[in-house]
Amino acid sequence: MTTETQATAAASGAGATARFRENKHVGGGTSQARVSALAGRLIKAVNDIVTDELVSYDEYNALKAWLISVGETGEWPLFLDVWVEHSVEEVANANRHGSKGTIEGPYYLPGAPVQHSPATLPMRDEEPGTPLLFQGHVKSVAGEPLAGAQIELWHADDLGFYSQFAPGLPEWNLRGTVIADDQGNFQINTIQPAPYQIPTDGACGALIAAAGWHAWRPAHIHLKVSAAGHRLITTQLYFEGDEHVADDIASAVKPDLVLAPTGRADGQGREVTYDFILDRTTEALDRIGRSR
Ligand code: DHB
Ligand code: FE
C-alpha cells in the first residue's frame, strides 16, 4: 500500500474547504431581493419534494444527520462541485465563443511553478503512468495566435490522487503553469491521469452507496487558459475510450472535450493535440462594438 491509498474523505474535504476559504474571495454576494428569491425557491423545492414523495420522519432525520456529517468532514466543496457546479458553469459560459469550458472542481491551486513551453510538469522520478505529450496552440476567436498565453494545468496521478490533497505526494506534483511561445504554441510533457473516484469513506461516499450510484469521474486534465484581453477559460479534457466519459458523476463531460491520443512514433507513450480558442473579454468586446 502506498501512502496515497491512505487518502481520506475527511483529509481531502478539509483540504478543499481550506483551499476554498483561502482562494475564493467571495465578494459582496448578491442583493437582498436575489437572496430572497433564490433561497425561497430552494426551500420551496425541498418542501415540494417532501409533499410529493411523502417523506417520512425517518427520512427527514436521515437527511439531517447526513447534512451535519457533510459539514463535519469538510465535504461541502466536494458535494457542490460534483452535483451543482456543472449547471453554474453552463450559465456562466452560455455566451462564450470559442473553446468549451467545464467545472473547476475542488482541487485547483494558484501559483504552480512557471515554465516556458516546451515544458515537463513537475513529477516524481519514475512517475507511474503512460507518458503523454499534450500540445497545441492558443488562439483568438478570430484565429490570431495568442503569444505568451498562460496554460495552468493540474491533474491526478496514475492512482487518481491530487498533490496537496492526498498525502505522500511532492507539493506541486503534476501541477504547472506553462507559457506558450510567441506563436501561441505549447508542448507539455506529463503522464496520462487515471480515472478519479470521489472519496468513498465520507458523507458523499455514504450517499453514493446508499443510493447505489457509482463514485467515478473519467480521467481528466484540468486547465485554466488565459491571455491578455481574453476571457480566462476553466476547462477539462478527457480521454476517448474511458468508460466514465459517458457516465461522469460530476456531469462535466462535453463531446468537444474528449481527446483521442495516439501512440508516439518513438514508442515513448502517447501524444495529442488540442487548440484553445479564447473569447475576448467584455471590455475588449465593448471597444470593438460586438454586442452580447
Ligand atoms: C471532485 C473532484 C475532482 O477531481 C473534480 O474534477 C470534480 C469534483 C470532487 O471530489 O468533488
Ligand atoms: Fe478533477
Side-chain angles (χ1 to χ4, degrees):
M1 184 168 89
T2 73
T3 45
E4 289 170 285
T5 58
Q6 291 154 13
T8 60
S12 43
T17 297
R19 189 289 296 185
F20 175 78
R21 288 192 169 133
E22 281 159 26
N23 298 329
K24 293 282 164 180
H25 303 289
V26 181
T30 189
S31 68
Q32 187 184 62
R34 279 287 277 178
V35 173
S36 176
L38 299 180
R41 281 197 67 177
L42 178 65
I43 291 165
K44 179 168 189 310
V46 174
N47 282 290
D48 286 349
I49 294 167
V50 171
T51 316
D52 292 353
E53 297 282 347
L54 304 177
V55 171
S56 68
Y57 258 103
D58 280 352
E59 290 169 334
Y60 172 67
N61 287 329
L63 171 67
K64 220 184 215 182
W66 183 79
L67 289 171
I68 291 167
S69 71
V70 176
E72 280 172 350
T73 54
E75 284 193 85
W76 280 120
L78 277 60
F79 173 84
L80 289 165
D81 294 350
V82 162
W83 282 296
V84 182
E85 189 186 354
H86 66 94
S87 56
V88 178
E89 186 279 328
E90 290 275 340
V91 170
N93 283 328
N95 66 358
R96 181 190 282 276
H97 297 254
S99 298
K100 293 277 181 218
T102 190
I103 68 171
E104 176 176 318
Y107 300 140
Y108 169 67
L109 293 168
V114 178
Q115 300 175 64
H116 287 263
S117 173
T120 298
L121 287 192
M123 64 177 83
R124 295 164 285 185
D125 295 342
E126 319 271 315
E127 181 72 39
T130 306
L132 179 71
L133 170 62
F134 173 57
Q135 59 191 348
H137 58 275
V138 187
K139 49 191 176 184
S140 69
V141 282
E144 306 139 344
L146 295 175
Q150 177 178 288
I151 300 137
E152 287 182 273
L153 63 171
W154 69 103
H155 64 80
D157 68 8
D158 192 50
L159 293 173
F161 293 108
Y162 286 87
S163 57
Q164 301 190 44
F165 293 92
L169 290 167
E171 187 176 23
W172 293 105
N173 212 55
L174 303 174
R175 296 176 180 271
T177 304
V178 178
I179 310 297
D181 70 15
D182 56 9
Q183 295 302 307
N185 292 312
F186 64 87
Q187 283 197 315
I188 301 166
N189 290 288
T190 184
I191 57 112
Q192 192 166 323
Y196 168 86
Q197 190 175 27
I198 75 159
T200 51
D201 63 317
C204 292
L207 170 63
I208 289 164
W213 299 338
H214 74 73
W216 292 96
R217 298 215 57 220
H220 55 279
I221 297 177
H222 290 270
L223 299 126
K224 283 182 183 282
V225 182
S226 56
H230 291 77
R231 282 175 81 177
L232 177 148
I233 190 157
T234 300
T235 193
Q236 300 183 19
L237 294 169
Y238 306 92
F239 298 93
E240 196 178 84
D242 183 324
E243 65 170 306
H244 297 296
V245 156
D247 185 22
D248 174 12
I249 190 176
S251 309
V253 178
K254 302 179 185 183
D256 290 8
L257 301 178
V258 182
L259 302 174
T262 54
R264 295 184 62 171
D266 61 6
Q268 300 296 302
R270 305 170 84 195
E271 64 186 4
V272 69
T273 300
Y274 184 86
D275 293 340
F276 293 97
I277 301 169
L278 298 191
D279 202 3
R280 293 182 199 265
T281 57
T282 17
E283 294 78 359
L285 282 174
D286 288 346
R287 278 201 303 278
I288 64 169
R290 191 166 100 197
S291 64
R292 282 261 151 81

